[in-house]
Amino acid sequence: MVSVTLLNSLGADRDTGCKHGLFFGDGQRKVDYILAFTYKKSSGSRTPHKKNHNSNSVHSLHSPKDDHHLPGGGADLEAMEAEPKMDYHEDDKRFRREEYEGNLIETGLELERDEETKLHGVGFVKIHAPWNVLCREAEFMKLKMPTKKVYHINQTPDLMQKLSSFIQKICEPIQPKVAGLRPQTVKHLSYPFSREKQHLFDMSDKDSFFDSKTRSSIVYEILKRTTCTKAKYSMGITSLLANGVYSAAYPLHDGDYDSEAEANDRKLLCDEWASYSAFYKFQPIDLVRKYFGEKIGLYFAWLGVYTQMLIPASVVGIIVFLYGCATVDENIPSMEMCDTRYNITMCPLCDRTCNYWKMSSACGTARASHLFDNPATVFFSVFMALWAATFMEHWKRRQMRLNYRWDLTGFEEEEGMVKDHPRAEYEAKVLQKSLKKEYRNKEKQQHVPEDNPNKWKQRVKTAMAGVKLTEKEKLTWRDRFPAYLTNMVGIIFMIGVTFAIVFGVIIYRISTAAALAMSSNPNTRANVRVTVTATAVIINLVVILILDEVYGAIARWLTQLEVPKTDKTFEERLIFKAFLLKFVNAYTPIFYVAFFKGRIVGRPGDYYYIFQSFRMEECAPGGCLMELCIQLSIIMLGKQLIQNNLFEIGIPKMKKLIRYLKSKRQSYKDHEEHLKKKQRYEEDHNLEPFAGLTPEYMEMIIQFGFVTLFVASFPLAPLFALLNNIIEIRLDAKKFITELRRPVAVRAKDIGIWYNIIRGVGKLAVIINAFVISFTSDFIPRLVYLYMYSPDGTMHGFVNHTLSYFNVSDFKPGNEPTQPVDFGYKVEVCRYKDYREPAWSLNKYDINKDYWAVLAARLAFVIVFQNLVMFMSDFVDWIIPDIPKDISEQIHREKVLVVEVFLKEEQGKLQMLETWKERERKKGENCKSPRLSRSQRGSSASMYCHRADV
């Protein structure tokens, strides 16, 4: 058995020579990946016991005779006496690390260990992938690399080219100062890397042929694939991290982002991308992709496209809002409500404590409602539905351009050929299942005697079976049925909790309104509705923010119960559960105001009650649309300001500060450690681990819902979303550059399941806006009155038409107002908003025919609006091709060029073969030449014949 030893770093002087931890101790080999682990230091010594190494190589292999490093050796016994005694778990972790690192070295990686760090109790293993390993893994992963073949990209027609250059000159001030932003005129032909065809690839600079993100992703694939079988089953890096054998694994950032002397991609991104002063500039997407990989690059590209598309939506929304402001004085219904000459007495808004009131007192609410409830909002709803369809098509085209530029065309076929590694939890679950099966088999075979050879054979089989345990055993639906049942019950329960909280807020609104109405202060009684609405919305906002965090944790827990096999499956299931719960959490209060409030109230004398004491709340005199606008704006702005910005800034900085203070307090205990300069891997270790893009996408999708779902009630939603996203892009960029460890670069062709979610939200928005326009606003009742009941073809008399009559003598005993009325006359009849028969009718207070006419018109509008807008959206989807024509031609041209390159190579091989055959034929003829002597002919013939055989 071979024993593997790793070099320790040789002190501060050597670290200075290797560029602050970016290179190995020799200053030549670059650190591609870092493994961090924790260990316990002895009380008598500040640093752990180190083995002596006389070799300067990264690793050395020793035979069993060299007992200096074997447990049985005398030197090792002395070392064991010098070292403090560790508990079983620490000892087991150390043995696993030794075996795992030995297996990594067998794969060709080069390692160097550093335990003399400034971080107390944390050791690091630096990993370097040599050239031969990079080539081997690039071929295995089918990475597309640039070949020597260069071709010219087809130029657009002269007119389009001039227009493009003109736009480029205009946009030059808002372009980031990053190399490679100009349109490409030539492009290297890319092809999946092959060691046999290395001569075809552009290897003019081997050091930059594989960039840092590619090197780290290659090393990560090896780390996931390499196994550690100390625990009798396969353990890759994900399992070792989950079991605490290693505390962290991450690639290094390129260097400091705030250093003036050092120039690197991280600093360039920090200056030109992650700076708030660059908010007006385009994003350097190609550099983001080069540094972080395609998956993160696509996220920021999508966020940039979404933000750009919000600009026209914001402009139209502002125009619609200004139209409402300009026409508010010309709106006849609000003018009638504000006219005191009408002298309409309204019924009380609550029992006993509320009094009769004049309709003119609601003048301000009626005028404010017109700002958002006017004919322009219908147009804006149609516009936003088409905007959503255009946005999706624009993104698909942009995505295809990025796929072509980043050599991701054909990535799906390559992805299918590279097998995903099982997750650590899946491996553990499969192990548990296999151990149970083994235990049952042993119980059945206890009575059967087993000889020694069979026992040894069984042990060998058991040890070797662990490597491919997940291939032999799989989790069936029976194994996962308890988890599926728990998921279903848990999601239903969480949705029920959301509904219960909204119901609790409704009770709060009703009870608070009743309590404030009994106040002796007239100002309090006058502002009951404003006070109740504002406080209820704030309560809803706080509950939404709290439940968002709770539901995120619950969604992750429920997904972990399912034990998905691969990371991709885990992410998709987590996204679905988290989106479902957070969607219900964010939009349930808004749905209540839009579609339920004021619909189930009854009428004067026969109101509906909750718990037989609380009367269901009604909409404001101007309708529920104004309250819906307030609810939507406060929740949207509060969620963006508090959760998306303050949380994203505050929480990572707080965690970073806590880690810094903790490490500083521990390092002060050792003066020698404190004096050392921190290496790059130590500084990156203090950063927050990358937790995936799910939270980033989630907040943007929820915002997309606010922008599209209820846009008929809040035309300024796109404007506020635009302002938020301008900050959000730079905030996320700064977080990725300065607050997070560098994530492993992941290849991706699209944004995955998020595209389907966005598309689903866009379709749902058409239906919801149709219902908001027809049932929440007064748009349909106005149209019905204008074309069916108006005597002069105008809106005069509309308000009176929507109000019904109630005889105050029909109040139930104890429900009539108890406070005296100071109107100067006795109130005998009051009015309330509904379509019912008057008090003097034979069927008094029954629903009249006007109600059914309005309802039929509302339903007809929903059907027409939905189908018309859906058809228009599908037409936009159909008329705009998913792949730009020039990109389609370039992809086809690339395929033709690839065929030509390989045909030329095969023709060259055939020519070489023909030349070699011709040469050998001539040499064979020389074997029969009569000018040579017999002995010379024999020796020459034998020599040439031998060459021919070779």
Side-chain angles (χ1 to χ4, degrees):
M1 178 181 177
V2 294
S3 174
V4 179
T5 61
L6 304 171
L7 273 182
N8 297 306
S9 60
L10 300 180
D13 294 337
R14 187 171 179 180
D15 289 332
T16 306
C18 50
K19 301 181 182 178
H20 307 303
L22 290 173
F23 290 83
F24 272 28
D26 55 11
Q28 300 295 323
R29 286 165 295 184
K30 189 175 181 180
V31 177
D32 297 319
Y33 218 86
I34 288 292
L35 299 179
F37 58 91
T38 56
Y39 59 87
K40 292 183 179 178
K41 291 190 175 184
S42 62
S43 58
S45 176
R46 293 296 179 190
T47 57
H49 171 77
K50 303 187 292 294
K51 300 173 185 177
N52 296 322
H53 302 278
N54 298 322
S55 172
N56 289 328
S57 62
V58 175
H59 66 275
S60 54
L61 301 177
H62 300 269
S63 64
K65 293 180 182 180
D66 187 6
D67 59 359
H68 180 73
H69 298 289
L70 294 177
D76 202 53
L77 288 174
E78 294 177 4
M80 291 174 65
E81 291 176 3
E83 288 183 350
K85 291 185 178 180
M86 293 184 176
D87 58 13
Y88 169 76
H89 294 291
E90 289 296 323
D91 208 31
D92 180 60
K93 290 179 183 179
R94 182 165 57 86
F95 282 135
R96 292 189 190 182
R97 283 196 294 268
E98 289 177 358
E99 185 202 358
Y100 184 70
E101 290 163 13
N103 293 340
L104 289 179
I105 292 173
E106 289 179 2
T107 64
L109 296 178
E110 297 175 358
L111 313 181
E112 184 178 78
R113 178 172 290 188
D114 183 7
E115 291 180 350
E116 288 187 341
T117 63
K118 197 172 179 181
L119 301 179
H120 185 80
V122 180
F124 297 93
V125 177
K126 295 178 277 188
I127 302 177
H128 169 76
W131 175 257
N132 61 327
V133 174
L134 294 173
C135 293
R136 182 192 70 208
E137 296 298 323
E139 182 176 359
F140 174 73
M141 295 169 64
K142 301 191 178 299
L143 297 180
K144 278 190 172 182
M145 306 303 293
T147 63
K148 295 177 182 177
K149 176 68 175 177
V150 177
Y151 67 96
H152 288 271
I153 298 176
N154 290 335
Q155 299 296 321
T156 54
D158 292 339
L159 179 62
M160 295 300 296
Q161 189 174 357
K162 289 179 181 179
L163 181 61
S164 178
S165 61
F166 175 72
I167 294 174
Q168 186 179 351
K169 286 181 181 179
I170 293 177
C171 297
E172 192 169 351
I174 60 176
Q175 292 286 355
K177 297 177 182 178
V178 177
L181 282 178
R182 292 188 174 276
Q184 295 178 333
T185 56
V186 295
K187 187 177 184 292
H188 282 273
L189 184 66
S190 297
Y191 189 76
F193 186 80
S194 172
R195 286 173 290 178
E196 295 180 356
K197 298 180 175 60
Q198 283 193 37
H199 58 281
L200 296 176
F201 293 91
D202 182 18
M203 294 187 181
S204 54
D205 185 6
K206 281 191 174 183
D207 293 334
S208 62
F209 184 72
F210 295 107
D211 56 14
S212 58
K213 76 166 178 60
T214 306
R215 296 174 70 98
S216 62
S217 61
I218 286 175
V219 173
Y220 183 63
E221 285 297 320
I222 297 175
L223 292 176
K224 288 198 298 183
R225 192 174 68 243
T226 305
T227 58
C228 171
T229 57
K230 283 288 184 186
K232 207 185 73 170
Y233 74 104
S234 171
M235 291 185 71
I237 187 61
T238 53
S239 300
L240 295 173
L241 288 170
N243 288 278
V245 178
Y246 290 101
S247 59
Y250 51 91
L252 292 180
H253 280 291
D254 278 357
D256 293 327
Y257 61 87
D258 54 358
S259 174
E260 295 296 333
E262 186 181 5
N264 53 65
D265 286 344
R266 188 186 187 194
K267 177 174 173 49
L268 184 60
L269 283 171
C270 185
D271 294 339
E272 295 295 327
W273 180 52
S275 173
Y276 292 111
S277 60
F279 73 93
Y280 62 93
K281 292 185 178 181
F282 289 108
Q283 299 182 82
I285 293 298
D286 290 331
L287 186 59
V288 174
R289 174 253 180 179
K290 177 186 174 185
Y291 193 79
F292 290 111
E294 286 80 5
K295 190 171 185 179
I296 294 177
L298 282 173
Y299 163 71
F300 282 103
W302 174 84
L303 184 56
V305 170
Y306 172 47
T307 304
Q308 291 172 13
M309 289 294 293
L310 282 173
I311 295 175
S314 302
V315 171
V316 177
I318 293 173
I319 293 173
V320 169
F321 179 74
L322 293 178
Y323 170 81
C325 296
T327 58
V328 66
D329 292 329
E330 302 173 3
N331 183 39
I332 295 175
S334 60
M335 290 170 60
E336 288 183 349
M337 289 187 67
C338 296
D339 194 348
T340 56
R341 293 175 299 176
Y342 281 89
N343 199 25
I344 297 178
T345 303
M346 303 296 294
C347 296
L349 296 175
C350 63
D351 294 337
R352 289 178 295 182
T353 56
C354 297
N355 211 335
Y356 303 105
W357 55 283
K358 291 294 184 178
M359 188 179 67
S360 58
S361 63
C363 175
T365 307
R367 290 173 63 87
S369 297
H370 178 72
L371 301 179
F372 306 99
D373 186 6
N374 55 70
T377 57
V378 180
F379 158 77
F380 191 55
S381 299
V382 177
F383 170 81
M384 287 303 295
L386 299 179
W387 172 88
T390 308
F391 162 59
M392 300 305 295
E393 292 304 309
H394 179 42
W395 166 244
K396 282 193 289 187
R397 292 170 65 84
R398 170 70 169 159
Q399 188 173 257
M400 281 305 303
R401 290 190 181 276
L402 292 176
N403 285 340
Y404 167 71
R405 193 191 307 170
W406 296 348
D407 297 320
L408 292 173
T409 53
F411 173 66
E412 292 176 352
E413 293 81 2
E414 300 161 17
E415 187 182 26
M417 300 179 70
V418 180
K419 192 174 182 181
D420 289 335
H421 298 279
R423 295 175 61 251
E425 293 80 0
Y426 183 84
E427 290 180 341
K429 193 75 174 178
V430 170
L431 171 69
Q432 186 180 3
K433 180 180 179 181
S434 64
L435 290 178
K436 285 182 180 179
K437 190 177 291 185
E438 281 184 23
Y439 181 73
R440 294 194 196 99
N441 294 336
K442 284 181 181 179
E443 283 186 341
K444 292 179 182 179
Q445 298 175 1
Q446 275 183 352
H447 62 281
V448 180
E450 192 173 21
D451 54 354
N452 290 333
N454 287 337
K455 284 184 179 179
W456 173 250
K457 186 177 180 182
Q458 185 64 30
R459 287 179 184 175
V460 173
K461 282 183 178 180
T462 305
M464 296 182 66
V467 179
K468 295 184 178 179
L469 186 63
T470 53
E471 296 180 6
K472 293 184 177 182
E473 291 286 348
K474 292 183 180 180
L475 296 182
T476 62
W477 68 270
R478 293 181 180 178
D479 301 321
R480 290 194 171 104
F481 179 75
Y484 290 153
L485 184 62
T486 305
N487 269 260
M488 186 180 297
V489 174
I491 290 174
I492 294 174
F493 176 75
M494 289 300 110
I495 293 175
V497 168
T498 303
F499 289 163
I501 291 174
V502 172
F503 183 73
V505 174
I506 295 171
I507 298 297
Y508 162 80
R509 294 164 65 112
I510 296 171
S511 58
T512 305
L516 293 178
M518 292 186 292
S519 174
S520 58
N521 190 340
N523 291 328
T524 304
R525 292 198 303 270
N527 298 313
V528 168
R529 189 175 294 276
V530 176
T531 305
V532 170
T533 300
T535 55
V537 172
I538 292 173
I539 291 173
N540 275 326
L541 175 61
V542 173
V543 170
I544 287 172
L545 294 178
I546 294 173
L547 287 185
D548 255 1
E549 303 301 321
V550 174
Y551 286 168
I554 289 174
R556 181 169 292 274
W557 175 70
L558 291 174
T559 309
Q560 289 172 347
L561 288 181
E562 291 185 30
V563 197
K565 184 174 182 179
T566 62
D567 288 329
K568 184 178 180 181
T569 310
F570 179 87
E571 185 181 22
E572 288 180 351
R573 296 184 181 183
L574 173 62
I575 289 170
F576 175 75
K577 294 180 183 65
F579 174 75
L580 178 62
L581 292 175
K582 292 188 176 185
F583 182 89
V584 173
N585 178 44
Y587 296 115
T588 300
I590 301 173
F591 268 91
Y592 164 72
V593 175
F595 302 121
F596 296 99
K597 184 179 180 181
R599 302 293 188 278
I600 317 171
V601 294
R603 59 170 180 81
D606 188 20
Y607 284 112
Y608 300 143
Y609 294 87
I610 301 176
F611 306 133
Q612 297 182 354
S613 56
F614 296 110
R615 199 175 98 184
M616 291 294 293
E617 57 182 345
E618 301 180 41
C619 291
C624 278
L625 197 67
M626 186 62 193
E627 189 170 345
L628 175 62
C629 174
I630 296 172
Q631 181 107 354
L632 184 67
S633 59
I634 292 179
I635 291 177
M636 178 182 177
L637 296 178
K639 200 173 185 331
Q640 289 183 164
L641 180 64
I642 298 174
Q643 188 179 42
N644 297 359
N645 294 331
L646 293 183
F647 282 9
E648 286 192 9
I649 296 173
I651 292 178
K653 285 191 176 296
M654 191 181 298
K655 289 181 179 179
K656 186 179 179 180
L657 179 63
I658 292 172
R659 284 194 299 269
Y660 171 75
L661 294 175
K662 187 177 179 181
S663 63
K664 190 175 181 181
R665 185 176 66 251
Q666 291 176 343
S667 63
Y668 267 126
K669 297 177 183 177
D670 194 326
H671 185 65
E672 293 179 1
E673 290 182 354
H674 180 63
L675 291 178
K676 291 194 315 180
K677 177 177 174 60
K678 273 192 176 182
Q679 303 300 302
R680 176 78 266 149
Y681 46 84
E682 294 176 295
E683 293 182 355
D684 286 2
H685 186 268
N686 287 332
L687 298 177
E688 184 75 10
F690 176 64
L693 289 170
T694 300
E696 315 299 333
Y697 273 114
M698 188 66 70
E699 66 185 59
M700 287 295 104
I701 300 304
I702 296 296
Q703 184 205 82
F704 181 78
F706 282 121
V707 169
T708 55
L709 290 179
F710 296 95
V711 74
S713 63
F714 190 39
L716 297 179
L719 175 63
F720 290 114
L722 173 64
L723 297 176
N724 174 80
N725 287 5
I726 291 174
I727 302 173
E728 180 74 20
I729 291 175
R730 309 303 162 179
L731 182 64
D732 283 348
K734 199 169 189 65
K735 181 173 67 173
F736 273 83
I737 292 293
T738 64
E739 305 292 339
L740 297 180
R741 293 175 189 162
R742 188 176 183 178
V744 179
V746 179
R747 288 188 299 168
K749 192 176 181 179
D750 49 39
I751 60 175
I753 193 176
W754 294 110
Y755 178 83
N756 296 328
I757 291 176
I758 297 170
R759 196 172 183 84
V761 171
K763 297 293 185 184
L764 182 63
V766 176
I767 302 172
I768 291 179
N769 280 305
F771 277 95
V772 168
I773 293 170
S774 61
F775 284 90
T776 309
S777 74
D778 284 336
F779 178 74
I780 299 301
R782 289 171 185 169
L783 285 182
V784 172
Y785 175 79
L786 184 65
Y787 292 106
M788 291 182 63
Y789 301 104
S790 176
D792 55 357
T794 65
M795 293 302 297
H796 288 287
F798 170 74
V799 174
N800 185 63
H801 179 75
T802 58
L803 298 177
S804 298
Y805 293 87
F806 178 75
N807 193 333
V808 297
S809 61
D810 292 333
F811 271 122
K812 291 182 180 179
N815 289 345
E816 65 275 2
T818 56
Q819 298 180 4
V821 184
D822 55 354
F823 291 159
Y825 58 89
K826 183 180 179 182
V827 177
E828 296 181 352
V829 176
C830 63
R831 308 290 296 274
Y832 62 98
K833 191 173 183 179
D834 205 349
Y835 291 102
R836 291 182 181 270
E837 296 289 344
W840 52 84
S841 173
L842 295 176
N843 302 316
K844 64 177 183 178
Y845 309 136
D846 286 349
I847 293 174
N848 60 19
K849 62 178 182 178
D850 297 344
Y851 171 84
W852 299 111
V854 170
L855 179 62
R858 282 173 165 168
L859 294 176
F861 177 83
V862 169
I863 295 172
V864 173
F865 182 89
Q866 174 186 335
N867 286 280
L868 179 63
V869 175
M870 287 282 190
F871 170 77
M872 295 170 68
S873 300
D874 291 340
F875 179 74
V876 170
D877 190 358
W878 173 76
I879 202 172
I880 301 176
D882 295 345
I883 305 176
K885 186 177 180 181
D886 58 328
I887 297 298
S888 177
E889 292 174 353
Q890 297 293 353
I891 293 173
H892 177 71
R893 189 182 175 196
E894 271 197 359
K895 293 179 180 179
V896 173
L897 288 174
V898 168
V899 174
E900 288 180 0
V901 168
F902 284 99
L903 281 177
K904 287 181 180 180
E905 186 191 9
E906 292 299 324
Q907 289 173 0
K909 287 181 179 179
L910 289 174
Q911 288 177 0
M912 290 177 61
L913 184 61
E914 292 294 334
T915 304
W916 179 77
K917 285 182 178 180
E918 184 67 21
R919 189 181 302 168
E920 291 301 324
R921 186 179 61 80
K922 290 180 179 180
K923 289 178 180 178
E925 291 176 354
N926 291 337
C927 292
K928 303 176 182 179
S929 176
R931 291 177 292 176
L932 299 175
S933 64
R934 184 175 298 176
S935 60
Q936 289 173 333
R937 288 200 304 269
S939 61
S940 299
S942 61
M943 180 178 64
Y944 287 128
C945 293
H946 174 68
R947 287 181 180 175
D949 292 339
V950 172

